[in-house]
Amino acid sequence: MRTNIFTSGTKSSFAKRSRRMARMVSVGAGSLAIVFCLFIFFYFESDEFVRSLSCVLPIIYLASIIISFTKITNRTLYNIIFYIYIFSSLVILTIAYQLSFDVAFVVLMLTAYNIILFALPKAKQILIYFGVVFIPLVLAIIFSDVSIGLTLLITVSFGYVFLLSYVIAQQKQQLNLRNMQNAEILKALVNNTNDSIFLVDYFSNEIKDVNEKTKVLFGLDSLEEVISKKYYELFADENFIPSNRNEIAQQISELGHYETKVLLKKKDGTQFSAHLLLSPFKAVRNNYYLIQIKEN
C-alpha cells in the first residue's frame, strides 16, 4: 500500500480504498439488518406488516453493496449509505410504534440508533440524522401509550449518544484537518530539498514512498518505478547492506543514524557516488527507515 507522505499519491488508489471501505460498511450494516430481521421474526409477536418492514432492511443494504460495484462516484455512494441509515432508522421507529414501544424492542432500537450515530463520520451528518430521526421519534412517543419513565429512557439515551457522537466527530474532523496540514507542510519541505529521500519499511525493506528529487537523481520516468522495490536494489553492490550490517547497527545504536559514501545506480545502470544517511524511526505501529541520498 502506498504511504503517500512525500508525494501526492494516485487518486485512483485512494478511490479504491474508499470504495472498499464503503462496501465493508454496507456488508457490516447488512449483517446487522439480517440479525435484526431474525429478532423480529422469532422473538416478537408481530403482524405481517411489521415482518415485511423488517425484511426491507437487509434488502436495501444488499442493494447498497451491489451499487458499490457500479461506476457510481464514491461521494454519491456514501450519500446513498447515509440516506439508507436515515431510512432504516425510520423503519425501525415505525416497527417500534406498531409494537407499542415494547420494552425489549426499545432496547434493540436504541442499540441500532447508537451504532448508526457512532458510524456517521461527519458532525454535519450527525446533526441531520438527529433532526430527521429525533423529531419523528418524539411525535411517535406522544401519540402512543408510552410511560413517562420509558419516554425519558428513550429520549435521554438518544440525546446523550447524539451529543457524545457529535463531539467525537468534531474532534476527529479537527484532528484530520491538522494531520492534513502537517502532511502538506512535510510534503512541501521534502519535495523542495535537493536530496533524494526514501521511506522504507523496516522489516520488508520495501520502498513505500519517495520525493520528487528521486526521479531526477535516478533517471526515472515515474516514481512508481521504485515503489515496492527493495531499497538495496538501488546500490551498485546489492550486498552492501548485508556486508556492513554490524557497522550499521553499531552506528545506529550510538548515533541514532548511519551515514556513509556509497555507489548507487541509475535506471539505465549508470553508477554514481553519493552520501547516504539512514535513520530508523517508528510511526504509529509501523517501523521505517528514512534514507536521504545526496549526490557527490
Side-chain angles (χ1 to χ4, degrees), residues 11 17 38 45 50 54 92 101 110 126 137 152 162 167 177 187 197 199 202 207 216 245 259 263 273 288:
K11 291 183 179 179
R17 291 196 299 270
L38 292 174
E45 295 182 3
V50 170
S54 66
I92 292 171
F101 286 94
L110 289 176
I126 293 174
L137 175 62
L152 289 174
F162 155 71
V167 170
L177 180 60
K187 185 171 69 176
I197 298 179
L199 184 68
Y202 184 91
I207 298 171
V216 178
R245 193 173 302 279
E259 58 181 319
L263 276 178
S273 177
Y288 297 100

Side-chain angles (χ1 to χ4, degrees), residues 21-33:
M21 185 175 294
R23 193 174 298 142
M24 289 174 61
V25 169
S26 296
V27 170
S31 301
L32 291 176

Side-chain angles (χ1 to χ4, degrees), residues 59-295:
I59 293 173
I60 59 175
Y61 283 107
L62 175 61
S64 69
I65 296 172
I66 295 173
I67 291 172
S68 70
F69 286 96
T70 66
K71 294 182 179 180
I72 190 172
T73 64
N74 286 351
R75 183 174 182 177
T76 303
L77 177 59
Y78 275 103
N79 284 336
I80 289 173
I81 293 174
F82 175 59
Y83 297 142
I84 290 176
Y85 279 159
I86 293 177
F87 178 77
S88 301
S89 300
L90 295 176
V91 168
I92 292 171
L93 176 57
T94 303
I95 294 174
Y97 182 77
Q98 293 294 321
L99 295 176
S100 300
F101 286 94
D102 179 271
V103 176
F105 186 82
V106 165
V107 174
L108 189 62
M109 178 185 72
L110 289 176
T111 301
Y113 286 176
N114 293 349
I115 291 173
I116 291 174
L117 280 168
F118 279 115
L120 295 175
K122 298 179 180 179
K124 183 179 179 180
Q125 288 181 328
I126 293 174
L127 281 174
I128 294 173
Y129 178 85
F130 178 79
V132 173
V133 176
F134 187 72
I135 294 174
L137 175 62
V138 172
L139 291 175
I141 291 174
I142 291 174
F143 289 102
S144 66
D145 297 325
V146 178
S147 65
I148 296 176
L150 187 56
T151 299
L152 289 174
L153 172 65
I154 295 172
T155 54
V156 172
S157 298
F158 190 76
Y160 173 77
V161 176
F162 155 71
L163 288 174
L164 183 61
S165 301
Y166 182 75
V167 170
I168 292 174
Q170 278 195 319
Q171 291 177 341
K172 284 182 179 178
Q173 286 181 213
Q174 292 173 359
L175 180 60
N176 288 337
L177 180 60
R178 286 198 296 269
N179 288 340
M180 287 176 62
Q181 291 173 339
N182 291 338
E184 289 298 320
I185 292 171
L186 175 61
K187 185 171 69 176
L189 290 174
V190 171
N191 283 329
N192 285 329
T193 182
N194 291 323
D195 301 339
S196 175
I197 298 179
F198 291 79
L199 184 68
V200 177
D201 185 87
Y202 184 91
F203 296 104
S204 68
N205 294 324
E206 288 184 354
I207 298 171
K208 294 298 182 181
D209 211 350
V210 292
N211 67 340
E212 293 293 336
K213 181 64 177 179
T214 302
K215 187 190 296 184
V216 178
L217 190 60
F218 285 86
L220 305 173
D221 295 321
S222 168
L223 295 177
E224 298 292 339
E225 294 179 51
V226 293
I227 300 299
S228 297
K229 291 182 65 174
K230 305 293 185 181
Y231 79 96
Y232 51 73
E233 294 179 30
L234 303 173
F235 291 73
D237 177 12
E238 293 187 10
N239 291 319
F240 177 84
I241 295 296
S243 300
N244 295 275
R245 193 173 302 279
N246 291 336
E247 181 184 352
I248 294 172
Q250 183 178 354
Q251 273 202 36
I252 290 176
S253 176
E254 294 176 355
L255 305 175
H257 64 271
Y258 170 75
E259 58 181 319
T260 186
K261 288 184 178 181
V262 65
L263 276 178
L264 302 173
K265 59 183 177 182
K266 297 179 182 287
K267 178 184 176 180
D268 61 6
T270 305
Q271 296 183 3
F272 66 97
S273 177
H275 180 268
L276 178 142
L277 177 65
L278 183 150
S279 305
F281 72 97
K282 185 174 183 178
V284 191
R285 297 180 180 179
N286 296 324
N287 293 292
Y288 297 100
Y289 288 119
L290 189 68
I291 298 177
Q292 182 176 354
I293 296 172
K294 179 182 293 186
E295 189 174 13

